Amino acid sequence: MSDSMMKSGAFRGLRLTNTLTRTKEDFVPIDPQNVRMYVCGPTVYDFAHIGNARPAIVFDVLFRLLRHVYGADAVTYVRNLTDLDDKINARALRDFPDLPLNEAIRRVTEKTANQYQADVKALGCLEPTVEPRATEFVQPRADGRADMITLILSLIERGHAYEAQGEVLFDTGSMEDYGQLSKRNLDEQQAGARVEVEAHKKSPGDFVLWKASSAEEPGWYSPWGRGRPGWHIECSAMASAYLGEVFDIHGGGLDLIFPHHENEIAQSRCAHGTDVMANYWMHNGFLQVEGQKMSKSLGNFFTIQELLATENFGGRKWPGEVLRLAMLMTHYREPIDFSVRKLEEAENTLRKWKRAADGAGEAEAEVPAGLVAALSDDLATSSVFQGMSQLAGEAAGNVDAAASLKAALLFLGFGLDAAEVDESEVAKFIAERLAFIAAKNWAEADRIRDELLAQGVQLKDGKDPVSGERVTTWEVKR
């Protein structure tokens, strides 16, 4: 995608891959003046891991694109915080027994929720329009917005839920097309709930809407006694509270298709009597770390905060925008192998782009039309980045190309400050180069010099006036 193509790419409307139909479809909003998107956020029991970073970044890009196409004030983006969890509830009751449950939970999750906000900000993500907490939607609200208990009552009244041994369960057999998102037969379903389910269900696939709490367990008061909600009902309540009974886009990770999103659809449709919950369902692919599934037992489980603030991954800290680019270099629907090598590649690429964009000076440009056109094809970031690299190659002495690149960087959530140089990394490369020179491996020595130069670091060789040994210094080339 050359400079001219980046400028002249024709926007023909958005096309998104819809998990519900397994096809790429033209995106037609219900109301172009009020485009609505819901994305499942993290459970704030602990700090968010790098897998949580991927949907935050992917749907931030979609949010930016929708704002560009339809107008900043015409898009409502809801991303929830799940603070309903048996472990959170138990900790709240233990640590703050004299406080109302919601307030106690807020105390328990305040640090982790605030850290998540800081993490995604460091990753370059815009704030969503609304970021509700699940605990705020358990019981009927003073403002009349949807809540979990009211939705469960509606499901019972409509014949889609039943009480059994202190629980309320969704009756999957009452819904003819249950399972259409995951394409599973009803016989294959397993109950997916945050709480343990006993064998008192009409069907093995029936799942918990409300679970009774013992005297020793935390809980909320409801028409079925003191208890707490199942997992899936929270997102049905929060989505309808802010976006209505039917909205445009629902997003999240591939791992949420079943059971969470499947059960969200069942609850919402049956409670409201609608044909769909959301018209388009989008899911980002799985994430591995250095070729393996992320797991604490394998020692490759990392939080976003660890990558940003510690040297636990690759022996160094990583800027948020480097993590952002590394995530976007792989198409959002594909699995991603998160590795030190990928981060280094992203960092080098970002340095080249920023250095080239510096050539724009104070000049400004519109967001390249070709970028918008490429992103509009199911967020085709690889095409976007190819075009940006070509712009960077054309930017020397070309203010228009540099300005277009600058506009592209800003649009995608990357800052324009010059990329910081990691002095310890430069020192390491210099030591490696000197070792190659001592071994008369000139090809490898030149390779390191050229790679550093591509990153904006220029090496200067000289001699120590006392020992006569080679001394290498460096400077940042602007």
Side-chain angles (χ1 to χ4, degrees), residues 196-411:
E196 189 175 328
V197 181
E198 297 176 5
H200 54 273
K201 301 173 291 185
K202 292 182 179 180
S203 167
D206 294 354
F207 56 90
V208 171
L209 299 170
W210 189 266
K211 176 79 172 179
S213 292
S214 68
E216 294 77 29
E217 293 175 318
W220 291 260
Y221 289 100
S222 78
W224 317 284
R226 188 169 163 277
R228 67 270 194 204
W231 173 17
H232 319 295
I233 194 68
E234 65 183 57
C235 286
S236 287
M238 289 182 282
S240 58
Y242 289 105
L243 304 178
E245 295 179 358
V246 178
F247 53 95
D248 295 301
I249 300 170
H250 194 310
L254 195 65
D255 57 314
L256 295 180
I257 291 177
F258 182 84
H260 185 49
H261 287 168
E262 192 72 82
N263 291 346
E264 273 191 67
I265 290 173
Q267 295 161 164
S268 296
R269 286 182 53 195
C270 292
H272 302 308
T274 58
D275 292 331
V276 295
M277 177 187 182
N279 286 332
Y280 303 86
W281 288 79
M282 298 176 64
H283 294 91
N284 61 267
F286 291 114
L287 179 143
Q288 291 185 321
V289 177
E290 299 287 1
Q292 292 183 302
K293 182 178 179 181
M294 187 168 63
S295 167
K296 290 183 178 179
S297 63
L298 293 175
N300 65 348
F301 184 94
F302 297 96
T303 67
I304 303 171
Q305 190 272 340
E306 276 185 284
L307 285 133
L308 293 170
T310 76
E311 298 180 354
N312 294 347
F313 190 69
R316 52 163 294 191
K317 301 174 185 178
W318 299 97
E321 60 185 2
V322 171
L323 303 179
R324 181 181 182 88
L325 180 56
M327 289 283 187
L328 294 174
M329 286 165 63
T330 300
H331 189 268
Y332 80 92
R333 289 190 294 109
E334 299 298 323
I336 185 172
D337 185 15
F338 201 73
S339 64
V340 172
R341 182 176 179 180
K342 180 174 282 290
L343 291 178
E344 290 173 342
E345 180 186 354
E347 186 169 49
N348 291 339
T349 299
L350 197 56
R351 281 193 181 124
K352 293 175 186 176
W353 288 348
K354 286 191 174 188
R355 191 168 62 253
D358 282 345
E362 298 300 316
E364 296 184 359
E366 296 292 326
V367 177
L371 179 151
V372 175
L375 277 186
S376 298
D377 182 16
D378 201 30
L379 304 185
T381 48
S382 60
S383 295
V384 171
F385 296 155
Q386 180 184 4
M388 291 173 66
S389 291
Q390 291 184 10
L391 278 178
E394 298 167 359
N398 185 336
V399 173
D400 289 343
S404 293
L405 181 59
K406 181 170 73 171
L409 285 164
L410 285 172
F411 180 81

Side-chain angles (χ1 to χ4, degrees), residues 110-130:
E110 184 174 20
K111 180 179 180 180
T112 51
N114 289 344
Q115 185 63 55
Y116 178 72
Q117 308 290 358
D119 289 344
V120 293
K121 182 177 181 180
L123 295 173
C125 297
L126 300 173
E127 291 185 6
T129 314
V130 186

Side-chain angles (χ1 to χ4, degrees), residues 82-86 89 101-102 105 134-139 147-149 152 166-168 192-196 207-213 218-222 224-235 237-238 267:
T82 292
D83 55 356
L84 269 179
D85 179 275
D86 275 359
N89 298 347
L101 183 55
N102 278 16
I105 287 174
T135 47
E136 299 168 350
F137 292 82
V138 177
Q139 298 172 305
D147 65 273
M148 300 179 212
I149 287 177
I152 295 171
E167 294 181 348
V168 182
R194 179 177 287 116
V195 291
E196 189 175 328
F207 56 90
V208 171
L209 299 170
W210 189 266
K211 176 79 172 179
S213 292
W220 291 260
Y221 289 100
S222 78
W224 317 284
R226 188 169 163 277
R228 67 270 194 204
W231 173 17
H232 319 295
I233 194 68
E234 65 183 57
C235 286
M238 289 182 282
Q267 295 161 164

Side-chain angles (χ1 to χ4, degrees), residues 440-451:
K440 300 188 183 301
N441 189 339
W442 309 113
E444 284 299 299
D446 290 346
R447 178 187 61 78
I448 291 176
R449 180 199 61 201
D450 294 342
E451 285 186 1

